[in-house]
Amino acid sequence: MSSTGSTSSSSSDTGPIPPSIPGTAPDPRRWWALVVIAVAQLMVVLDATIVNIALPSAQRALHMSDGNRQWVITAYTLAFGGLLLLGGRIADLAGRKRTFMTGLVGFAAASALGGAAHTSGLLFMARALQGAFAALLAPSALSLLTTTFTVGRERAKAFGIYGAIAGGGAAIGLIAGGLLTEYLDWRWCLYVNVPIALATLLGAGAFLHDDRRRGERPRLDIRGVLLGCGGLVSIVYACSEAEPRGWSDPLVLGLLCGGVALLGAFAWWQGRAPSPLLPLQIVRDRNRSGAFLMMGLAVIAMFGMFLFMTYYLQVILGYSPVKTGLAFLPVTAAIVTGSTQISARLLNRVPPRALMVPGALLAAGGLFLLTFLPVEPAYVSHVLPAELLVGLGMGLIFMPVMATATSGVAPHDSGVTSATVNTAQQVGGSIGTALLNTIATSTSATYIAAHLKAAAADAADAAATGGALTPAVRDAVVKTGVVHGFHVAIGWGAGIMLLAGLVGGLLVTARPPGQASPLGDAAPAGAEHTT
């Protein structure tokens, strides 16, 4: 029976990087195309964190309440995470280059609107528009990369660069946000996207090409859009509300249950829809589903580290925004090194899991080291080596995960497959931030309450000699309690990272391309298979 989708599980041993199609000359401008794609992806990834350090300044300028300030972040993540599947399918139907350029124009316009905002409501709306256009931009960028680079060694190098950006973009956003906020103004965290997007738009027109399907194309699955995007929005929103409300809050539980129910209905409908939004053969492939799951789990753990290290450096150690941003440079450098100098060189020679599993072990080791953070300054002894281990490990994970997830997909499904990779990353980040932050805050609150009570009792016993619970003692207990919460939450993150390694080791069984067959005649990228 002929399949019109992606590679079936029976053919997954062709490896994560298919060889070039015989007789097809590579695009001579493909490396310039990679620059365009990489810059666009960097802009999308760093925009999820670049506003974080600028948020206090924006809150003061626009007179936001503490309860509403989270919408600067939540509006972006809701629209981005909820609309990714729709954006990926639009790229398949309307054309990847056209969707990419539309996303760039819309993202630049939304960034300009947010930078010029003089009310909090206008800023929230601009951030939601940014997320919506990012949902067009991100999957079309990855699918363009997938269809532009098909030769094994070149594809590995291209995915190494892309993986470095996907992993290090969040840290770069923290650095850029600190520099722009301290030396210019918080609005430049949004304005900076405008010249970058316009320059990328010119490059896209010159160097990207589209091989959009000609003739009749399937229609958009409206019912699938409503069910799938509704379920994702509900889950991402539940995670954002879990931070201030807690996981047992009725609203959070209702949103989670509703999201799961909608996604269950979505999966049922995709098996019956004439033109499904997400063809089920994409997620039925063992290697691909393993890559999706490993991406989500690894990002849960990694985003927890960024969150807690930002608080540790600024609140506990008193770093400035710029110094905090620069403190994340080593993790960015390690991710780049792991992706471009190790993964990209080895993926053609070893199975993907031979990179994924050691990467997860390295990252878990780095996270475990952070469970011994002291309250006193310990950047060189604890934070720096942990950043290097986590960064190197994530560099070994991101590149083979993305290459495996997008390998062997039919061209007309590459957009929605790329969107699913981005969805796993985005939802993983939302869940990780909410879950680990809840663990940290609840643990800290319990610790601080118990130790303040004990300190007060000791002070009462010493009252006859003038003892009292001084502000210095109270401050020391609070700081110790906060760091203790970090220890517990990061320990959970290390466990989740180990689970990601187990998933990669058990589910991702693809071979390196050279071992695809005795004659080396693996099927070309995007070729349809029979089952």
Side-chain angles (χ1 to χ4, degrees), residues 344-362:
R345 294 175 184 271
L346 294 180
L347 190 58
N348 271 334
R349 304 175 184 177
V350 301
R353 63 180 174 183
L355 296 170
M356 297 176 185
V357 175
L361 293 175
L362 283 173

Side-chain angles (χ1 to χ4, degrees), residues 336-347 355 392 396:
V336 171
T337 301
S339 293
T340 62
Q341 301 303 313
I342 301 177
S343 290
R345 294 175 184 271
L346 294 180
L347 190 58
L355 296 170
L392 191 60
L396 293 177

Side-chain angles (χ1 to χ4, degrees), residues 280-302:
L280 291 183
Q281 66 265 25
I282 289 176
V283 294
R284 282 175 180 158
D285 179 86
R286 174 174 179 163
N287 291 302
R288 195 169 294 119
S289 61
F292 293 152
L293 184 56
M294 187 172 187
M295 171 67 84
L297 290 171
V299 170
I300 287 175
M302 185 185 76

